[in-house]
Amino acid sequence: MGKVVLVTGVARQLGGRFVRRVQRDPEVDRVIAVDVVPPEHHLGGADFVRADIRQPTIARVLAEHGVDTVVHMDVSATALGGRDGRGGRGSVKEANVIGTMQLLGACQKSPTVKRLVVKSSTSVYGAAPRDPAVFTETTPPKSLPSGGFAKDIVEVEGYVRGFARRRPDVAVCVLRFANILGPAADSPLAEYFSLPVLPTVFGYDPRLQFVHEDDAVEVLRLASHEPQRGTLNSGTFNIAGDGQLLLSQCSRRLGRPTVPLFLPAVTWVGSALRTVGMTDFSPEQIRLLTHGRVVATRQMRETLGFGPKYTTAETFADFVRSRGPGLLPPGALAGAVDRIAALPLAGGHQSAN
């Protein structure tokens, strides 16, 4: 008999894509797709169960279907377009933290569950001025996130570690994704990059990493299966495309001008953008766009056995194509900036004559 996989958060685009992909695996017999609202996209041949993982009823779902693999994707920075009634920050936190607690409690009581995969985030490391150049999976953050989605992730991972201690017979895999981008990306950072003009923090040009949504789906699928020879599908892994981009490079490739602002002004602009619903420009995102964040992916390749198809630059290029032209042609903007950067300083030119 094949595997029975339960997936949470299927009403989101990434969750729906994973459900459709994992059904094609010969090892999988059934997929149970769970969310609090019916998805607007197709789930293939999966069995959709309308359930709220914040409620104890999720334990009954595991038992009724004999689930052996749980892929927890219902951890997010934003509500699902307001359709699920969880529009406020408090409700999103409840969905992330309380929902995870209930799900883990149900998994702990289930005798059939043998594998748990959790979609986490590199936000767990925070973003601070004294951060190391590169975070590994064992690098402690210089300062723990004080709020927002990053704090949710810290709490979620804490509960997952507790579950792993109580159920050592269950293989637990935590995937810490860098910023996920692609044509269907619906993250706060994707919304930020979709603004006609990008507010930035004066004096800072942070380093950023991205992972393509195609690679995100594939690594989730890999983690949900028995490990291949020479790999280990349990533990905690950073997931990101090779390389990094500066925020200034991102803006040029988008063809969108930037408006450098002093930090207090950026905070005010962020509040204004949240008020009008243009983007979730949270304090956490402002810290990322100030200090940046880069993670090592050696364990992803050597231990998990996964190599992303897209680099960070290729991921961003695919995202740019999906968003259409900006206010300025990217090629012309990049060329102009490069020509200006190549000009000698006026003083130096005069002294050479």
Side-chain angles (χ1 to χ4, degrees):
M1 183 177 176
K3 297 165 69 71
V4 179
V5 181
L6 181 141
V7 185
T8 67
V10 301
R12 297 179 186 275
Q13 289 292 333
L14 190 66
R17 286 196 57 188
F18 174 72
V19 166
R20 293 190 295 273
R21 174 63 184 89
V22 78
Q23 288 174 71
R24 302 200 299 268
D25 285 1
E27 299 177 19
V28 175
D29 186 46
R30 295 177 63 201
V31 177
I32 312 301
V34 175
D35 212 315
V36 70
V37 294
E40 296 180 344
H41 43 258
H42 294 295
L43 296 176
D47 298 324
F48 175 70
V49 177
R50 186 170 185 173
D52 190 341
I53 64 171
R54 296 173 293 181
Q55 304 299 324
T57 53
I58 189 63
R60 188 164 63 247
V61 176
L62 292 176
E64 288 179 355
H65 297 279
V67 173
D68 54 64
T69 302
V70 174
V71 181
H72 182 30
M73 299 182 64
D74 199 7
V75 180
S76 179
T78 57
L80 185 61
R83 292 192 299 119
D84 58 354
R86 299 185 295 190
R89 167 62 202 150
S91 297
V92 172
K93 179 179 178 63
E94 181 181 299
N96 290 338
V97 179
I98 303 302
T100 299
M101 289 177 61
Q102 286 285 4
L103 179 65
L104 294 178
C107 291
Q108 183 176 334
K109 297 175 183 176
S110 172
T112 61
V113 172
K114 299 302 179 185
R115 180 169 293 278
L116 170 68
V117 180
V118 178
K119 173 182 168 288
S120 186
S121 168
T122 57
S123 296
V124 72
Y125 300 115
R130 295 176 59 245
D131 280 348
V134 179
F135 283 101
T136 69
E137 288 83 351
T138 58
T139 306
K142 290 294 183 180
S143 58
L144 286 173
S146 59
F149 176 63
K151 186 177 181 182
D152 291 357
I153 288 294
V154 171
E155 295 184 33
V156 163
E157 287 200 7
Y159 292 128
V160 172
R161 286 192 294 271
F163 169 81
R165 289 192 296 268
R166 293 188 295 271
R167 285 290 305 270
D169 59 309
V170 176
V172 178
C173 183
V174 177
L175 303 177
R176 291 175 175 168
F177 287 96
N179 299 284
I180 299 175
L181 286 182
D186 59 356
S187 66
L189 194 63
E191 293 176 352
Y192 167 78
F193 282 131
S194 299
L195 294 172
V197 177
L198 305 181
T200 61
V201 181
F202 182 81
Y204 291 88
D205 194 7
R207 299 172 302 147
L208 303 173
Q209 276 179 314
F210 308 115
V211 57
H212 197 282
E213 55 195 15
D214 291 355
D215 286 324
V217 168
E218 189 59 27
V219 73
L220 284 161
R221 186 198 66 81
L222 174 66
S224 67
H225 285 274
E226 296 299 321
Q228 302 296 318
R229 179 174 297 181
T231 64
L232 181 65
N233 287 19
S234 60
T236 300
F237 303 94
N238 293 330
I239 308 296
D242 289 344
Q244 54 192 272
L245 287 174
L246 297 173
L247 180 56
S248 59
Q249 292 175 305
C250 293
S251 69
R252 292 199 296 270
R253 296 178 189 201
L254 277 166
R256 285 173 165 81
T258 60
V259 178
L261 303 170
F262 288 104
L263 188 56
V266 174
T267 303
W268 180 87
V269 169
S271 299
L273 290 174
R274 287 199 307 275
T275 300
V276 300
M278 289 186 66
T279 182
D280 183 21
F281 209 149
S282 64
E284 171 193 349
Q285 183 160 306
I286 293 174
R287 286 191 291 272
L288 174 66
L289 296 176
T290 303
H291 307 295
R293 181 168 55 241
V294 173
V295 299
T297 57
R298 179 177 177 180
Q299 293 302 317
M300 173 191 74
R301 293 182 176 276
E302 297 184 359
T303 306
L304 187 59
F306 177 73
K309 177 182 177 182
Y310 294 84
T311 65
T312 284
E314 290 168 344
T315 296
F316 195 74
D318 198 31
F319 171 77
V320 170
R321 284 191 292 270
S322 71
R323 289 304 190 266
L327 293 179
L328 303 173
L333 179 60
V337 173
D338 292 341
R339 285 194 296 274
I340 292 172
L343 290 175
L345 294 175
H349 180 71
Q350 291 172 354
S351 62
N353 290 332

